[in-house]
Amino acid sequence: MDVVVVGGGVAGLSAALTLARARRSVLVVDSGEPRNAPASGVHGFLSRDGLPPGELLRAGREEVTGYGGQIVPDLVTGACRAGGRFVVVTGSGRSYGARRLLVTTGLVDELPDVPGLRERWGRDVLHCPYCHGWEVRDTPIGVLATGPGAAHQALLFRQWSPDVTLFLHTAGDPTEEQWEQLAARGVAVVDGEVVGLDVNDDRLCGVRLASGTCVPVRALAVGPRFEARSAVLSDLGVASVEHPLGVGHHVESDANGFTGVAGVWVAGNVTDLMAGVAVAAASGVQAATAVNADLVAADTAAALARRRAPRPQEAFSPASEAAACERVLGERRHGIETVLSPGRRSGG
């Protein structure tokens, strides 16, 4: 196998499709836990806007296998280097070897510890205005402060609704400049800890405070902590690090997804915590082209080494037979010359 792709989300399938079209043997191992599974649709992805996430992945799998790629439903539990190749081990006890490894395992959203958030995540509890803003436009939107970026998030959602409330919750107060910005845009600010949600007929209708007050909202934006699913890389010397923005951990890589460890690439949310579906798909293509270029370089180097290596002469090749005939004729000519030389003539 040329490449094993760990993770069958949009980034992994885009990479696998590119590699399969490049006539590489590629295997995708996917645990079937896409981050956007709770969402009703993928948004902002040109020509596929609103398509359910599962449908997008199903179509992607069909395209990959249509070009000869393989997809295995399993969970990769470890990876190691063995004799210049990589071996990944799965939860079912299987192992797969490949020349290169591409990890597209995504991330986990760690939500604030407020009862009810997880159950409504991806529906009316959300974080990205570009993914969900249109669907909650012109409704009362709450923003749950979990860090210094909360004021910015509230100002973003103000683009989609004139009714935005920032709940300070357990975060600190905004800066003086942020207070002015929020006031200028008409964003309400509510102090006090959020202790739960009010839900009616499976729809969010309010945020409950520790004081007992309930503030009506139809959507609640939160800022989760993003944690890359990078455990599979740890045995290869690749560890996740704190993101420069302080929003979680990610795997560092260059623009092509190269980790700095020979033969190991990453793509999608495991390295780019902010990437939406379209960006994740593009990063998979980018990483795949880099992996293929690396394999082309390796194939070329191996071909050059074979070309330059001394070749043992074949026992019965046309060239060896010609050389043998030339030796025999030479020996015969030498023998005749020896017999006819003056010093060896007999008689008087």
Side-chain angles (χ1 to χ4, degrees):
M1 190 70 61
D2 287 322
V3 185
V4 164
V5 178
V6 183
V10 171
L13 291 176
S14 296
L17 179 61
T18 302
L19 288 164
R21 284 176 53 84
R23 309 190 74 177
R24 293 294 178 187
S25 55
V26 57
L27 171 71
V28 179
V29 184
D30 179 47
S31 62
E33 300 172 312
R35 178 195 180 196
N36 61 356
S40 61
V42 172
H43 297 292
F45 196 174
L46 191 64
S47 82
R48 294 295 180 269
D49 187 71
L51 187 71
E55 285 298 301
L56 181 64
L57 296 181
R58 182 195 59 76
R61 288 191 290 267
E62 288 182 359
E63 290 174 353
V64 170
T65 56
Y67 284 99
Q70 301 177 53
I71 300 176
V72 173
D74 210 337
L75 173 67
V76 173
T77 57
C80 64
R81 196 186 297 271
R85 294 172 61 84
F86 296 96
V87 176
V88 298
V89 181
T90 71
S92 66
R94 296 181 179 181
S95 61
Y96 304 95
R99 300 166 65 192
R100 300 293 184 272
L101 183 65
L102 174 55
V103 174
T104 62
T105 42
L107 61 80
V108 174
D109 296 290
E110 293 189 348
L111 299 177
D113 188 18
V114 174
L117 282 188
R118 175 59 64 181
E119 290 77 7
R120 307 210 63 80
W121 178 241
R123 300 164 65 193
D124 40 28
V125 173
L126 40 91
H127 82 284
C128 175
Y130 301 103
C131 301
H132 304 285
W134 178 263
E135 284 64 42
V136 299
R137 67 193 184 280
D138 298 327
T139 65
I141 300 174
V143 176
L144 183 66
T146 56
H152 174 67
Q153 191 176 29
L155 292 170
L156 278 178
F157 273 95
R158 176 62 182 80
Q159 175 65 24
W160 281 265
S161 174
D163 187 352
V164 176
T165 301
L166 174 61
F167 296 93
L168 293 182
H169 189 44
T170 57
D173 285 341
T175 66
E176 191 64 34
E177 182 179 7
Q178 288 173 334
W179 276 114
E180 289 191 33
Q181 291 172 340
L182 294 167
R185 292 290 281 157
V187 175
V189 179
V190 174
D191 201 0
E193 184 177 352
V194 173
V195 295
L197 306 179
D198 275 1
V199 178
N200 185 24
D201 196 22
D202 198 30
R203 292 188 63 185
L204 177 66
C205 57
V207 168
R208 285 186 284 109
L209 303 175
S211 64
T213 302
C214 182
V215 180
V217 299
R218 286 295 186 180
L220 182 63
V222 302
R225 185 167 174 81
F226 306 127
E227 295 296 329
R229 293 172 172 169
S230 59
V232 67
L233 291 165
S234 59
D235 290 337
L236 298 172
V238 179
S240 61
V241 299
E242 181 71 26
H243 192 274
L245 296 179
V247 293
H249 288 83
H250 73 134
V251 176
E252 289 184 306
S253 67
D254 68 9
N256 295 320
F258 180 55
T259 63
V261 173
V264 182
W265 275 261
V266 289
N269 285 140
V270 72
T271 183
D272 185 353
L273 301 181
M274 310 300 181
V277 172
V279 175
S283 74
V285 174
Q286 188 85 350
T289 58
V291 170
N292 184 62
D294 188 57
L295 287 169
V296 167
D299 293 342
T300 303
L304 278 173
R306 290 192 298 270
R307 177 184 176 85
R308 293 169 178 171
R311 299 182 181 180
Q313 198 171 54
E314 297 179 17
F316 298 104
S317 68
S320 63
E321 290 181 0
C325 289
E326 186 62 32
R327 280 198 308 274
V328 171
L329 291 174
E331 290 171 357
R332 289 178 178 176
R333 285 194 297 269
H334 180 69
I336 293 171
E337 291 172 358
T338 301
V339 171
L340 297 177
S341 62
R344 298 291 297 270
R345 291 180 181 176
S346 60

